[in-house]
Amino acid sequence: MTAKIIDGVAVSAKIRTDIATRVTKLRERGITPGLAVIMVGDNPASAVYVRNKMRACAEVGIQSFKYSFPADAAPQQVLDTIAELNKRDDIHGILVQLPLPPHFAIAQVLQTISADKDVDGFHLYNVGGLVVGDTVFPPCTPYGVVKLLEHEGIEIEGKNVVVVGASNIVGKPMALMLMQRDATVCICHAKTRDLAQFTILADILVVAAGKPNLILPQMVRTGAVVIDVGINRLPNGRLVGDTDFEGLKEKVSYITPVPGGVGPMTVTMLLANTVASAERASGG
Ligand code: GUN
């Protein structure tokens, strides 16, 4: 079997066209969606992500505002900035790029963002919404994965889904979103013994572990769907996911490439959440 390679760039482009139309409608009513992006320190990967997010905003007509703080900034300075942004009518989304320097209490920073502007979906209110199946802002990466599955017409209901990785940003919300869609979900993580005995059961395998070549062809059922959320930079500079892409593509039915799979969808769903927030704030 040769897999269909899921083209996240193409799916993103379609969704972004719809988003741009919604932005145009808002702007006709005098509302320009606005996203504030807060970055603390100079983590090079974060700098690239932030630049990509802001460029994507500009392309669909969302205004973005960057707030940069040095790595040794006082947490209170950042909290005060968030409090001000919470009050501003021209800001519909607030994103704090993670990770933060070690002297920051991430939970405290995330809980300071107004739940109404939490376009990353990390505030406890939105996390709770995810648990009960009534989310306002789904977290962008798992939201993007669901959109990719939907776009390819891959059924979720009743399927065995195995999520490898139990982070707050990807693994846990991914599992909740797929459970909400009536999949049978198993979450594996760094302490899972004999990972393969779980992954082999997956109709849909979502991998977000941050380990190159973690998933090999013998760990996956023939015809499975593999969604690779990993982004790893090898010593030779190559960007790879968490799976043996070349080996797996001869065995599975669908697979996402890295780069060009889930990555662009994360940014796209951030745009979607920001526009949804502006529509919500304007009552439409
Ligand atoms: N760092 C890695 N992924 C993300 C994300 O989706 N949002 C934010 N804010 N930071 C991240």
Side-chain angles (χ1 to χ4, degrees):
M1 173 174 276
T2 300
K4 168 155 191 218
I5 315 291
I6 300 178
D7 185 348
V9 176
V11 179
S12 277
K14 272 197 189 141
I15 298 175
R16 289 187 198 192
T17 304
D18 292 344
I19 292 171
T21 307
R22 285 162 65 190
V23 172
T24 303
K25 284 195 183 133
L26 281 163
R27 291 178 85 129
E28 281 165 7
R29 294 166 51 207
I31 300 153
T32 302
L35 174 70
V37 181
I38 297 175
M39 186 166 156
V40 186
D42 50 10
N43 179 316
S46 291
V48 172
Y49 293 141
V50 164
R51 208 168 40 239
N52 287 344
K53 289 171 185 180
M54 295 182 72
R55 187 187 303 140
C57 279
E59 282 167 9
V60 297
I62 295 173
Q63 209 168 2
S64 65
F65 306 83
K66 187 173 173 195
Y67 296 84
S68 294
F69 294 88
D72 61 355
Q76 193 58 46
Q77 254 188 298
V78 175
L79 297 178
D80 290 346
T81 300
I82 294 172
E84 277 170 35
L85 294 167
N86 281 342
K87 288 190 236 148
R88 273 175 52 178
D89 288 341
D90 60 334
I91 300 284
H92 304 94
I94 302 170
L95 177 153
V96 177
Q97 186 64 31
L98 302 177
L100 289 171
H103 66 289
F104 276 78
I106 291 180
Q108 184 192 29
V109 173
L110 298 180
Q111 296 342 308
T112 304
I113 297 172
S114 161
D116 289 327
K117 299 189 178 187
D118 173 37
V119 287
D120 250 339
F122 295 162
H123 188 284
L124 288 183
Y125 180 88
N126 284 313
V127 176
L130 211 55
V131 174
V132 297
D134 183 18
T135 340
V136 177
F137 300 119
C140 303
T141 301
Y143 191 14
V145 171
V146 168
K147 287 284 171 193
L148 279 182
L149 294 172
E150 284 176 1
H151 184 270
E152 297 298 332
I154 296 165
E155 210 181 332
I156 297 171
E157 188 183 304
K159 293 293 162 67
N160 285 350
V161 175
V162 177
V163 179
V164 181
S167 69
N168 290 338
I169 293 183
V170 184
K172 287 186 214 167
M174 183 81 259
L176 288 164
M177 290 170 81
L178 294 170
M179 197 164 70
Q180 184 64 30
R181 287 163 176 79
D182 296 323
T184 303
V185 180
C186 165
I187 309 184
C188 300
H189 44 74
K191 302 266 169 72
T192 298
R193 281 186 292 116
D194 192 3
L195 182 61
Q197 73 171 323
F198 296 98
T199 57
I200 200 78
L201 297 177
D203 300 311
I204 302 172
L205 180 65
V206 183
V207 194
K211 281 203 182 127
N213 266 326
L214 178 67
I215 305 296
L216 304 173
Q218 63 268 30
M219 299 167 71
V220 175
R221 201 176 57 72
T222 299
V225 174
V226 177
I227 306 292
D228 191 343
V229 185
I231 303 178
N232 307 289
R233 179 79 62 185
L234 297 181
N236 66 10
R238 236 183 98 213
L239 210 56
V240 298
D242 291 349
T243 67
D244 171 8
F245 178 84
E246 291 303 324
L248 282 167
K249 79 176 176 19
E250 304 306 325
K251 184 171 187 186
V252 302
S253 56
Y254 291 86
I255 189 164
T256 57
V258 178
V262 175
M265 293 298 287
T266 296
V267 179
T268 299
M269 302 332 289
L270 172 68
L271 305 175
N273 278 348
T274 304
V275 173
S277 179
E279 289 169 346
R280 222 172 144 243
S282 73

